[in-house]
Amino acid sequence: MTRLLVLAALCLLASCASAPRVLAPAEVERFEIVQRSSAFDGIAFEGVGEYEVVTAIAHMRINASHVANRGIVGLDQASAPDGWVHYKADVIILRPVDAGKASHVLLADLPNRGRKLGMRAINEGEPALELANSAGNGFAMRRGHTLAWIGWQGDVPLSGDGKTAGAALPVVAGTGPGMEETVFDDIAASSAIKLSYPAASLEQARAVLTVQATSAAAPAVLPPASWQFKGAGEIVIARPANMDAGAIYRFRYEAREPRVMGLGLAALRDVTSYLKSRAGPLEDLHLDMALAFGVSLSGRMLRDFLWQGFNADARGAKVFDGVMPVVAGAGRSFVNTRFARPGKAGSPDAAFPFSYGVTSDPVSGKRDGILAACTATATCPKVMHIDSSEEFWQGRASLITTDGAGKDIALPAGVRAYLMASTQHLYASTPTVGICKYQNNPATQAPLLRALIDDMVAWVREGREPPASRFPHLADTTMTPPQREAQGFPDLRAIGVGYPEAINGLPGYQLLVPMEDEDGHDVAGVRLPDIAVPLATHAGWNLRRMGFAENQLCDLNGLFVPFAPTPRAGDPRRAISQRYKNRLDYAKAVAVAARELRDQGLLLEEDVESYIERARSDPRVKP
């Protein structure tokens, strides 16, 4: 045993405060509290009381040569004269004022481009924590949970203001390939693209700008006369007249000054370990678990966090006890590469491995899995992977439970996968059209997410098994090729509704979508009352309208096509009058569906009552 380890052991036994401190290979060097303030205008939550917001900046340091940190790309170039790499991360904490009424659960809601998406996804609230109406239904607060937002994106500035959570990461020397991709979705004649990294040269000959009408079309190189640099951080484009608003522009150039973006993984790891150890402003809360919740981009980052082995902290201890990637599909993040762009999609988003268990890649022949690294170190968390239908069309979600070559694959014992049937990426508060052909999808997902958070807490704390996975499979034909005849989506062309021409594909892989019933709803998954007892067709896809790359998949939007009140010519779906005799009949059907989900652990009693109450007054059904 080395001298330092012997000394550390003696200190633990003798509580010798005067001995030199053994430095961790990565740590929070200083936790600077910028402000403490009352949350939600002082609202007291039942059984818990008031909450407060702690706005802080974590001053971090990390040893580039330690084995726990060597996987961070570029870290070895960033050391300061003292041998450490120093950086900072925003930390925003929402905690009960009365520690005696806290749940002892830390829920890290990974910021998405600096934003607090979990407040809407879980609480149906808003990110402005000081406002009373931002609490939504107050679910997380009524449970007494402590929420934390830890800045991990180096492309989101450090703010220190509690509104957004970013990070200040070191810049290192060097040049390399940079790439920007954008769809303007407007009809301006001239547009600008801001560059993620400054250009190493302003010579147009060292850069290439292409445009293509759709992802399947061949790209055309735009001549130098049609674009120019506006300094090292931006280009301005005179857009070609033969391309509509939905055209795809890609700019490849030589970039300089890469940022060590992979430190975002370390920030999440090390700040969470610090808070979980009951340090700083949470020392009185006696936390006994840490859960991670990530929506969309942040959910993909969580999958990357696991795959790259960061759920073992710098001392080898487990960081998160439970992880919930939400609407992440089969993607990962673009965070730990040279010239990474954490806030944007990139090549790692479509790279093997896709599923959680170790499998063979039908394209490369490699064997790997999202949980391979944490399995080797015995630091895997419980995982609840939760997708909407949109991720099957746009995010390759079928690769979570299939091998990409037409076979089902099993999930590991500590993983559950749930499809939020017939919902879009994030539900629309009010159906709108925008650049799409059809109204987008308002079917809410928050009631299921609330129930699953309770299930996760019980799974981690008590070992109580959560509901079985509810995800489509090939074996029971609940997953099919993405064609109308195979999927079973109703033919609505007579009422003006089309069907996608193609899925967001990946060369070499067979991608699939959920099977539909006669109303166009997913057969598999968790069918919340809006889907189980429908008044409209809801889908996870929508199509772009004319002038915006017509008939291509419409970004993250789903579809909402109301049923006719009475039978309508050309519509194969039953009308509302053919389904429910009156509003009471409809409310009874909703009650049956909601209570069944409650009994399965997939809906809370309070949400059962909300669904029933809403059905009793729904104006779409006659009294």
Side-chain angles (χ1 to χ4, degrees), residues 15-40:
S15 299
C16 51
S18 61
R21 181 167 66 97
V22 179
L23 296 178
E27 63 180 4
V28 176
E29 189 174 19
R30 180 164 66 92
F31 198 80
E32 176 192 356
I33 296 179
V34 177
Q35 183 180 10
R36 300 184 83 134
S37 57
S38 177
F40 308 120

Side-chain angles (χ1 to χ4, degrees), residues 228-242:
Q228 62 181 342
F229 280 104
K230 187 179 180 182
E234 187 177 2
I235 65 167
V236 177
I237 305 167
R239 287 160 58 178
N242 64 335

Side-chain angles (χ1 to χ4, degrees), residues 136-362:
N137 68 9
F139 163 78
M141 286 71 79
R142 287 185 283 112
R143 290 293 190 270
H145 298 335
T146 296
L147 279 71
W149 293 270
I150 300 165
W152 62 272
Q153 281 186 237
D155 53 356
V156 175
L158 188 78
S159 72
D161 62 7
K163 293 181 171 59
T164 60
L169 306 182
V171 172
V172 297
T175 62
M179 197 276 279
E180 305 294 339
E181 178 180 315
T182 191
V183 176
F184 293 112
D185 280 334
D186 62 42
I187 58 173
S190 175
S191 298
I193 297 178
K194 292 191 178 297
L195 307 183
S196 301
Y197 295 91
S201 169
L202 302 188
E203 296 179 29
Q204 286 185 295
R206 297 174 68 176
V208 176
L209 177 64
T210 65
V211 64
Q212 56 200 100
T214 68
S215 58
V221 176
L222 291 177
S226 67
W227 67 273
Q228 62 181 342
F229 280 104
K230 187 179 180 182
E234 187 177 2
I235 65 167
V236 177
I237 305 167
R239 287 160 58 178
N242 64 335
M243 291 289 166
D244 72 10
I248 303 166
Y249 294 81
R250 290 192 178 95
F251 183 63
R252 291 178 171 83
Y253 68 107
E254 185 180 4
R256 59 180 168 88
E257 300 175 6
R259 199 172 295 274
V260 187
M261 294 295 191
L263 275 172
L265 296 162
L268 181 60
R269 177 191 70 186
D270 297 332
V271 173
T272 300
S273 291
Y274 173 81
L275 297 176
K276 190 178 178 183
S277 67
R278 306 176 186 178
L282 304 185
E283 60 185 348
D284 60 334
L285 292 183
H286 306 293
L287 298 170
D288 63 9
M289 77 172 71
L291 308 179
F293 184 93
V295 177
S296 189
L297 170 77
S298 302
R300 298 196 298 274
M301 192 275 194
L302 270 181
R303 285 167 48 81
D304 222 9
F305 181 86
L306 295 175
W307 179 65
Q308 298 201 42
F310 281 85
N311 206 49
D313 71 14
R315 295 185 184 275
K318 184 187 295 186
V319 178
F320 290 112
D321 304 285
V323 166
M324 303 178 73
V326 179
V327 295
R332 290 187 280 108
S333 67
F334 194 6
V335 64
N336 193 24
T337 62
R338 191 168 172 84
F339 293 104
R341 299 176 298 156
K344 301 179 182 179
S347 55
D349 185 47
F352 179 82
F354 306 104
S355 192
Y356 291 91
V358 173
T359 61
S360 294
D361 183 19

Side-chain angles (χ1 to χ4, degrees), residues 331-489:
R332 290 187 280 108
S333 67
F334 194 6
V335 64
N336 193 24
T337 62
R338 191 168 172 84
F339 293 104
R341 299 176 298 156
K344 301 179 182 179
S347 55
D349 185 47
F352 179 82
F354 306 104
S355 192
Y356 291 91
V358 173
T359 61
S360 294
D361 183 19
V363 175
S364 68
K366 296 178 181 178
R367 285 186 60 78
D368 203 352
I370 297 296
L371 299 184
C374 66
T375 299
T377 57
T379 56
C380 288
K382 307 293 187 186
V383 178
M384 288 183 175
H385 180 100
I386 309 162
D387 274 331
S388 76
S389 299
E390 186 274 340
E391 281 70 59
F392 285 82
W393 288 93
Q394 295 271 39
R396 310 174 179 101
S398 63
L399 296 176
I400 298 298
T401 56
T402 68
D403 65 356
K407 294 181 180 178
D408 287 323
I409 55 177
L411 293 169
V415 178
R416 298 289 186 275
Y418 303 101
L419 164 62
M420 300 181 290
S422 297
T423 63
Q424 70 177 33
H425 191 67
L426 286 174
Y427 69 94
S429 298
T430 302
T432 57
V433 175
I435 64 168
C436 303
K437 279 193 170 184
Y438 319 114
Q439 293 185 99
N440 57 5
N441 190 339
T444 184
Q445 302 144 328
L448 174 60
L449 296 177
R450 289 192 282 270
L452 290 177
I453 287 174
D454 275 3
D455 292 333
M456 176 65 89
V457 171
W459 196 11
V460 171
R461 179 171 286 159
E462 305 165 19
R464 190 172 74 204
E465 291 289 321
S469 293
R470 300 280 286 269
F471 217 72
H473 294 280
L474 285 163
D476 59 6
T477 65
T478 56
M479 191 139 57
T480 72
Q483 289 91 39
R484 186 200 305 274
E485 295 75 15
Q487 193 195 21
F489 191 83

